[in-house]
Amino acid sequence: MPGENLSRDEARERAALLSVDGYDVALDLRSAVGGDESERRTFRSVTTIRFRCAAPGASTFADLVAPSVTAVTLNGRELDPSAVFDGARIALDGLADENVLVVDARCAYSRTGEGLHRFVDPEDGEVYLYTQYEPADARRVFANFEQPDLKAPYRFEVTAPGGWTVWSNGAEESREEAAGGGVRRRFARTQPISTYITCVVAGPYHYVTDTYRRGELEIPLGAMCRKGLAKHFDADDVFLVTKQGLDFFHDVFDYPYPFGKYDQAFVPEYNLGAMENPGMVTFREEYIYRGKVTRAAYERRANVILHEMAHMWFGDLVTMRWWDDLWLKESFADFMGTFSMVEATRFTNGWITFANNRKAWAYRADQLPSTHPVTADIRDLEDAKLNFDGITYAKGAAVLKQLVAYAGREAFLEGSRRYFKRHAYGNTTLGDLLTVLEETSGRDMKAWSRSWLETSGVNALTPAVAYDGEGRIAELAVEQDGAQARPHRAAVGLYRLESGELVRYARAEVDITGARTVVAELAGAERPALVLVNDEDLTYGKVRFDEDSLATLKARLGDIVDPLARALCWSALWNMTRDALMPARDFVAVVLAFAGRESDIGVLQMLHAWVRTSLVHYVAPQWREHGGRLVAEAALRELRRAEPGSEHQLTWARFFAAVAAADEDFAFLEGLLAGTAAVEGLDVDQELRWAFLEPLAAHGRADEAVIAAELARDDTATGRRHQVRCLAARPSEAVKAQAWAQVVESDRLSNALVEATIAGFAQPSQRELAAPYAARYFDAIERVWAERSIQIGMDVVRGLFPALQDRAETLEATDAWLAAHEAAAPALRRLVLEARDDLARALRAQERDALA
């Protein structure tokens, strides 16, 4: 990986030297089918780049990661590929004012989801291709200047097998039979865009079309998936959300969608949730649901569709100059995804999910040793890859949500409009955005930015309440801790019991500044049962409770009527558990007492995830078995209580399978699979069958033959991934050795199967079985990082860290590796430091829990 890196300084130097007029890229993808395996590994890529140079005679380089280069021509002069190409860069000397570079290369199909990914569907043998580039993998498909601020128009020409369809950013303009077979298609030239959002999708995809109309504006819509998923594809709902989003963004941005058509491809073995390629958005195909799912799943998909659509303006039309300002697209898209979803679609409770789910991601990331300001210091591409994190997405979005409250909705939106019109098809930095927001809001955006965008860390907000002799509030103050006190616009809510329900009876919105802020408006109010700081979730900060409020939550949390307030309390208790301020077993007890009454299905799913994390990492080891039994019994009880056929029933069924702990639990799962046991209304579809089978495999109750029989029922790409995970989950030394070798010592598995194998390998019930791999992990990771792609390197380093060996010796081994590898790649050290921090946090939580 180091040879493929690009530094910020190199990018700045090249941007000052060059401006790019356009690309013509011709790809021949006929090698994807037929021939022998060696022929199917590469494809021909011919790229013509027209660019200008500000200093004639200067030298620079083009980017290309490819097995071989056949020919390089610069301004009609043939260059020796062996002399100018080093595997990652093409050296270019003696540049003229105006230049034409032609590169003819053999590029490699990918099996890691980076570059041009090639997937063979095991169900029917069909081959599917798609590209994924962010931050810098377009150079694996065609020669280019791989940095976001050298934008240019692109024209793609793709030759593909007959019977295939091909899509790119622009609409298809022509097609013809190609010499030697297949079809050659030419696509419309794009607007100026960055390399990382160009795209090609090719194969025998199932394709559905529609049209969006708004006055005289007409946008062709398309949606596609593998043929094997066509029967599950609810394209009508995808188009519904798409049209609602286009309506919303046209209304609020006052800038017409600028990229012609709007295709959306759901593709296999995708590393991300989705990618905002203009005119050709790509999504992971898991957003096509093969079985029954909850409303929360459809909400997640709608949010992702709208997140990517927001990028058409924030990111594609106007793009950050360098990855330092990645937040200029990701924070905005994360915020606008929820904002538009709540205001334009049926998912009107989206801010609850944001508060409970997205911000949990942000709070975790902001307490890691790798935390960084929203505007980050990105030295190179490896830094950029790792900064697609909870800070850049969720914290940035939360900060923007507060900005809307601080500056006003209309000022924020008018600032966005001016930003698009002023910088269309260009590149920007933080200062460009602050300028327009100062114009529209009249506020000092630079001071706000210094507090929220240019510093790291999260504050905790705690109420301090004093009462007078009559039991009324004499003074209520909000105390703020953290490395730096920030200005918060927040609401403080007072709640009391009325007819057995906790309801708000008083509220004050206040600017919290400094270490202590008195909320004068609430003086004299009657004594509350609960004081909720950051009611309505206006600001970004961890919420704490006074002693009376905490006691109320432990006894009455399920009585809070408002679902957002309830979600905020759940989130606050979870943060206290993570921070070792609340014993993990107490958190588990509160969840078991009240989760059955939780109406919001997304919140319920988060509670289940948090309880599992508590059992695996945060409770004292000596309580783990007992706690696991309590949780499994409660899950089964709630499963039986849930309304037949409801999404709550489905959610409790999945949770029960995940926490099953006793022989009778496993026997019940076996009965559900065999049809000898049943729960009224529960449809055990294929996806649920796999969810039930994995814990059986992990506990030695489903062997290879049983797993093979299940695959025979579901011999699909998805079924294969489930099979691989179940096989790796079996409690056997030989199984673990094989799984380790397949992931660490070999590169034969695709990215999706690497992910599945790692997921199966790490089983909480198999701590002793996994113990020998702790030392092997530290011996292997530097080699893996050097030899494998960055995506696979990230998967291995994160996924195989010995977190289940939760004892001081593992922490010491991690520290020893860090001390001995100070010169290791910074991105690799960051991943290890983050894993170390998670382990240290777990040990602190266990120590606190042991005192309960």
Side-chain angles (χ1 to χ4, degrees), residues 331-651:
S331 298
F332 273 87
D334 217 48
F335 169 73
M336 293 304 301
T338 300
F339 185 37
S340 59
M341 184 176 68
V342 169
E343 300 215 354
T345 77
R346 65 189 185 272
F347 303 107
T348 55
N349 286 335
W351 288 122
I352 296 175
T353 305
F354 183 83
N356 193 247
N357 184 310
R358 299 300 282 182
K359 290 180 79 170
W361 182 28
Y363 293 143
R364 174 188 177 270
D366 217 4
Q367 295 174 90
L368 290 170
S370 58
T371 187
H372 56 86
V374 175
T375 56
D377 179 24
I378 304 298
R379 297 162 295 185
D380 54 33
L381 291 177
E382 287 191 11
D383 279 357
K385 183 75 171 179
L386 268 63
N387 262 46
F388 290 82
D389 60 10
I391 303 293
T392 303
Y393 283 73
K395 179 181 179 179
V399 167
L400 289 175
K401 187 171 186 281
Q402 179 181 254
L403 175 62
V404 173
Y406 173 68
R409 171 187 169 122
E410 185 51 36
F412 173 79
L413 292 175
E414 176 58 25
S416 299
R417 296 175 198 126
R418 295 187 189 184
Y419 179 70
F420 300 141
K421 292 170 183 175
R422 196 169 296 176
H423 301 289
Y425 305 111
N427 296 87
T428 57
T429 63
L430 168 64
D432 297 308
L433 180 68
L434 297 182
T435 296
V436 294
L437 289 174
E438 284 188 342
E439 292 172 4
T440 58
S441 71
R443 288 187 178 263
D444 181 0
M445 286 294 117
K446 294 182 179 64
W448 176 86
S449 174
R450 284 192 296 272
S451 293
W452 286 106
L453 300 180
E454 300 169 50
T455 59
S456 61
V458 57
N459 302 110
L461 304 175
T462 306
V465 193
Y467 298 99
D468 61 21
E470 298 179 358
R472 292 186 172 274
I473 293 177
E475 181 183 85
L476 191 158
V478 178
E479 297 175 347
Q480 177 179 190
D481 67 12
Q484 173 182 329
R486 295 183 175 90
H488 298 263
R489 184 67 179 173
V492 179
L494 305 183
Y495 290 74
R496 65 187 175 198
L497 277 170
E498 294 181 4
S499 302
E501 296 179 334
L502 275 169
V503 296
R504 191 173 69 188
Y505 66 94
R507 172 192 182 275
E509 194 167 316
V510 63
D511 288 318
I512 298 171
T513 57
R516 192 172 191 275
T517 301
V518 175
V519 186
E521 297 95 317
L522 296 178
E526 68 177 78
R527 188 181 189 115
L530 168 67
V531 178
L532 179 57
V533 177
N534 197 27
D535 204 356
E536 302 175 19
D537 197 37
L538 298 182
T539 192
Y540 172 81
K542 293 188 294 186
V543 172
R544 305 300 196 205
F545 300 104
D546 63 288
E547 188 175 330
D548 289 349
S549 296
L550 184 58
T552 295
L553 291 176
K554 288 181 177 181
R556 311 294 300 253
L557 192 153
D559 295 326
I560 299 175
V561 174
D562 181 70
L564 177 57
R566 199 168 58 243
L568 291 169
C569 291
W570 281 123
S571 179
L573 293 183
W574 176 241
N575 279 319
M576 292 175 65
T577 304
R578 292 189 72 249
D579 292 344
L581 298 176
M582 180 176 182
R585 69 186 69 186
D586 287 2
F587 177 78
V588 171
V590 176
V591 173
L592 296 189
F594 302 116
R597 298 167 57 186
E598 180 53 59
S599 60
D600 188 285
I601 198 67
V603 171
L604 179 61
Q605 290 169 346
M606 283 301 296
L607 294 177
H608 288 167
W610 291 340
V611 165
R612 287 198 69 196
T613 299
S614 295
L615 288 176
V616 174
H617 298 294
Y618 293 164
V619 302
Q622 59 269 28
W623 192 80
R624 192 176 284 146
E625 182 178 353
H626 176 66
R629 286 198 303 271
L630 293 177
V631 170
E633 290 168 2
L636 182 58
R637 184 168 59 250
E638 295 296 342
L639 168 60
R640 295 188 184 281
R641 285 178 179 172
E643 180 183 347
S646 67
E647 60 182 1
H648 282 71
Q649 183 188 61
L650 176 62
T651 299

Side-chain angles (χ1 to χ4, degrees), residues 723-793:
Q723 176 218 20
V724 166
R725 189 174 65 252
C726 288
L727 287 174
R730 291 171 295 157
S732 155
E733 291 183 4
V735 164
K736 299 305 174 186
Q738 181 184 39
W740 180 272
Q742 288 174 332
V743 169
V744 176
E745 307 301 337
S746 169
D747 64 357
R748 293 183 61 83
L749 294 181
S750 70
N751 55 320
L753 296 185
V754 166
E755 181 183 351
T757 303
I758 290 173
F761 181 89
Q763 295 291 327
S765 61
Q766 300 169 5
R767 293 172 192 266
E768 292 184 6
L769 201 56
Y773 293 92
R776 294 178 65 177
Y777 170 89
F778 292 111
D779 290 339
I781 54 175
E782 192 167 29
R783 172 179 56 81
V784 168
W785 192 261
E787 295 176 355
R788 310 289 282 279
S789 76
I790 191 168
Q791 181 64 50
I792 299 300

Side-chain angles (χ1 to χ4, degrees), residues 636 638-645 649-650 653 656 668 671-672 676-684 692:
L636 182 58
E638 295 296 342
L639 168 60
R640 295 188 184 281
R641 285 178 179 172
E643 180 183 347
Q649 183 188 61
L650 176 62
F656 170 69
F668 182 55
L672 290 172
T676 58
V679 177
E680 182 186 357
L682 182 67
D683 178 18
V684 184
F692 290 171

